[in-house]
Amino acid sequence: MFRSIAIIAFSIIHFTASQVVTAQINVNIPRIPAIGKPKPEPKNPGNGGIQDQSNNAGNKTDGKLIYGPQRPTSTPVFLKDSVYVQAKTHNEYWKMKGQRNHSSWVPQLRFKNFHDGEKSLNYSVEYFNPNGTAWYSEKLEVGGRNADRTIVYQSPSPWTGTLDTKSTDATGVFSFKIVNDDPKETLFSGKFKVGKFSTSNGGPDKNKFEFFVDHDWLMPYGMIGFHHSIDQVGGMPPLVSFWIKGSPNASDLEGRVFYKGQQIASTKDGGGASDYDERTTDGSAAFAPLNRWKRWQFQWRNLLFDNNGTFNRDNFPKAFYVDKNPGVYTVKIYHNGQQIREMEFTVGSDGRFVRPSYADQIFVPYHTIILPVKVTAPDEKWNATAWKTESFYGNPIDAFTN
C-alpha cells in the first residue's frame, strides 16, 4: 500500500509541474562572429563551483532535460560580468574647506559570486590614481544573497567618512584591484575612465559637477540564457538582453525574432521588455541622460524551450520551440518602430545554444551566453571602439570578434 501511495504522489507532482516563472550591447561595430559546430557546455566552469543537472549528452530524444537546474556549491565562482564601478559625487571637497558646491567623488564597487554561502568570504579593494600611485583601500561588505543565488560584495557607504577624507575632483583613468583577503591573492584587476558633466546654474555653482564612469564598452554585449528559477520543467522562455543608452519607455520597445528569414515571435504578442540593470549616476537622468546605460531584458510568450520537460503544451498552442528547430536565429530590437539593435544566436542539433569559442572565459549562471550585438540606431552617440580595450574594466574577452 505504501508503494501505491508513493506512486500516486509522484504522478500528481509530475502532472502538476508547471511552467517556470519568467522575468529575469555603427560605425566600426564588431561583427557577429561565425559560430561553428556546437561546443559542449562545460559542466563545472569556475573551478567546479556549480552543480549542473543538464543532460550534457544533449540527446533530445531520450526524455532527459536539455537544460537542467544550475546550483552554486561551496566553491565560489567569481562573476566577471557583475563587476560595477560607480563614481559617487559629493558637492563638497575636503581639500577646499568652506567652499560649497565644489564637487568631488569616490568610487563605489560591487561584484557577485555564484556561491552557496556556506562559508564567509573576505574581500577588499585597492584603488590607484591615474599616475599609478596608491589612492586608498577599503574592506568590502556582504550586500546580501539574491534570488538568483548570487552573493553581493560591495563598498561600504561613502557617507561614513570616505567622501570627507578620500574624495578627489580629478578625472581620467583610475585603476583598482579586488583582493581575496584570506589567501591574500588578487581576484581581479581593472581600470575605469572617469568623466564629468556640469550640474551648475552658473555663478557660485561653477564648480558643481556630476562625475561618472564611462560604460560605452557595454554596448556591443548581449546575453541569452534562462531565468534563475529553471527547474525540472519545460516551456522555458529564453531571456535575451541588450544595453541601451538613456531611459526609453518599455512600451516603446519591441523585440522580434526571425528564423530562416521569417518572423516567428514579437513581444507585441506577449512577453515584453523589462529594465533589468543599469550603470549610471545620481544626476545623469536630468543633466546628461546619455550617461545612463540600461540593460533591457526581452522575452516572448510564444518563443519557448520545450526542454523535454513537464508542462502543459496545450497552454501554448502558438509556441515555437527553439530547441526543436536548430539553426540561426536573429533578434531585432525596435524603438518606436525603428531598429536599434541586432543579435544572432544559434541552436545546435542537440537543442542547445551553440557556445562561441570565447564563452569559457566568462561564466554567467543559468546557461547564459554573452554574444556580440550590432548597434543599428542611426543617431545614438557612443564610442564604437571603447569595447576593444575597456571591456570588463580593461579585461576584454579574447577572440570576441572572431
Side-chain angles (χ1 to χ4, degrees):
M1 179 175 179
F2 175 82
R3 183 173 181 272
S4 299
I5 293 173
I7 293 172
I8 294 171
F10 175 81
S11 300
I12 293 173
I13 292 171
H14 183 76
F15 178 79
T16 57
S18 58
Q19 180 190 8
V20 172
V21 179
T22 58
Q24 180 313 323
I25 254 199
N26 268 336
V27 190
N28 297 323
I29 57 174
R31 61 188 177 86
I32 301 294
I35 301 176
K37 295 181 179 180
K39 182 177 181 180
E41 185 169 341
K43 186 173 183 180
N44 292 314
N47 298 319
I50 63 168
Q51 293 177 345
D52 190 340
Q53 300 176 34
S54 300
N55 170 30
N56 285 312
N59 183 351
K60 64 180 182 178
T61 63
D62 64 4
K64 295 181 181 179
L65 297 180
I66 297 172
Y67 282 117
Q70 277 187 334
R71 297 295 182 262
T73 70
S74 59
T75 301
V77 179
F78 172 69
L79 301 183
K80 180 178 177 180
D81 74 298
S82 72
V83 178
Y84 173 30
V85 184
Q86 180 189 40
K88 182 63 178 179
T89 300
H90 185 33
N91 287 326
E92 294 182 10
Y93 188 20
W94 60 280
K95 289 185 177 181
M96 300 288 186
K97 295 292 186 182
Q99 291 190 27
R100 292 191 59 80
N101 293 331
H102 187 113
S103 301
S104 62
W105 67 278
V106 293
Q108 291 274 277
L109 181 143
R110 74 167 185 255
F111 72 90
K112 299 177 184 178
N113 273 343
F114 194 54
H115 184 224
D116 64 8
E118 181 179 301
K119 60 182 178 182
S120 297
L121 302 171
N122 299 300
Y123 298 102
S124 61
V125 58
E126 301 172 10
Y127 299 106
F128 301 89
N129 295 304
N131 64 4
T133 60
W135 184 4
Y136 72 96
S137 62
E138 61 185 2
K139 181 82 170 178
L140 297 179
E141 298 178 344
V142 180
R145 185 173 178 84
N146 293 323
D148 64 0
R149 304 175 186 88
T150 59
I151 297 178
V152 180
Y153 299 87
Q154 62 189 24
S155 296
S157 170
W159 301 108
T160 59
T162 308
L163 279 168
D164 295 329
T165 60
K166 304 298 184 183
S167 68
T168 181
D169 61 356
T171 58
V173 179
F174 294 76
S175 56
F176 65 95
K177 181 170 63 175
I178 301 173
V179 177
N180 186 340
D181 289 334
D182 292 332
K184 279 297 178 185
E185 62 183 16
T186 299
L187 179 67
F188 183 82
S189 295
K191 55 187 177 180
F192 56 99
K193 183 169 65 176
V194 176
K196 65 181 180 180
F197 54 85
S198 176
T199 57
S200 169
N201 293 317
D205 289 345
K206 64 180 181 179
N207 291 317
K208 189 175 179 182
F209 296 92
E210 185 83 10
F211 294 88
F212 69 96
V213 176
D214 194 320
H215 284 94
D216 264 2
W217 61 264
L218 285 165
M219 301 286 276
Y221 291 96
M223 289 184 176
I224 186 167
F226 299 102
H227 190 260
H228 61 78
S229 60
I230 177 174
D231 210 334
Q232 305 289 340
V233 295
M236 310 179 304
L239 305 178
V240 178
S241 62
F242 301 82
W243 288 94
I244 300 175
K245 296 186 77 170
S247 302
N249 294 319
S251 59
D252 295 332
L253 295 172
E254 179 193 1
R256 304 175 193 171
V257 184
F258 298 82
Y259 177 67
K260 295 184 176 180
Q262 300 295 316
Q263 180 176 315
I264 58 171
S266 169
T267 51
K268 287 187 175 181
D269 300 325
S274 57
D275 177 1
Y276 189 77
D277 195 4
E278 69 177 10
R279 304 288 184 263
T280 188
T281 67
D282 294 338
S284 63
F287 293 94
L290 291 185
N291 287 323
R292 170 174 284 192
W293 297 260
K294 287 193 174 186
R295 182 155 72 94
W296 289 86
Q297 184 170 272
F298 295 79
Q299 64 183 58
W300 298 264
R301 172 174 170 79
N302 294 321
L303 189 77
L304 301 174
F305 259 70
D306 180 275
N307 205 38
N308 299 327
T310 54
F311 70 104
N312 190 343
R313 291 159 180 80
D314 293 339
N315 290 336
F316 304 95
K318 298 181 179 180
F320 186 99
Y321 292 104
V322 174
D323 51 326
K324 307 303 182 186
N325 294 278
V328 179
Y329 292 76
T330 302
V331 182
K332 298 181 180 181
I333 304 301
Y334 298 80
H335 179 244
N336 289 325
Q338 183 178 62
Q339 185 183 337
I340 60 171
R341 297 289 185 275
E342 184 171 324
M343 183 180 80
E344 288 185 354
F345 67 91
T346 301
V347 175
S349 59
D350 58 358
R352 299 166 71 86
F353 297 130
V354 174
R355 292 174 61 86
S357 60
Y358 58 78
D360 292 347
Q361 298 175 50
I362 182 163
F363 169 73
V364 186
Y366 308 110
H367 312 290
T368 300
I369 302 171
I370 291 178
L371 293 172
V373 169
K374 290 182 180 179
V375 179
T376 60
D379 301 323
E380 194 163 7
K381 294 180 173 60
W382 67 293
N383 182 349
T385 63
W387 65 274
K388 294 181 179 180
T389 57
E390 299 174 22
S391 293
F392 304 100
Y393 300 101
N395 294 273
I397 302 173
D398 293 339
F400 179 69
T401 57
N402 288 347

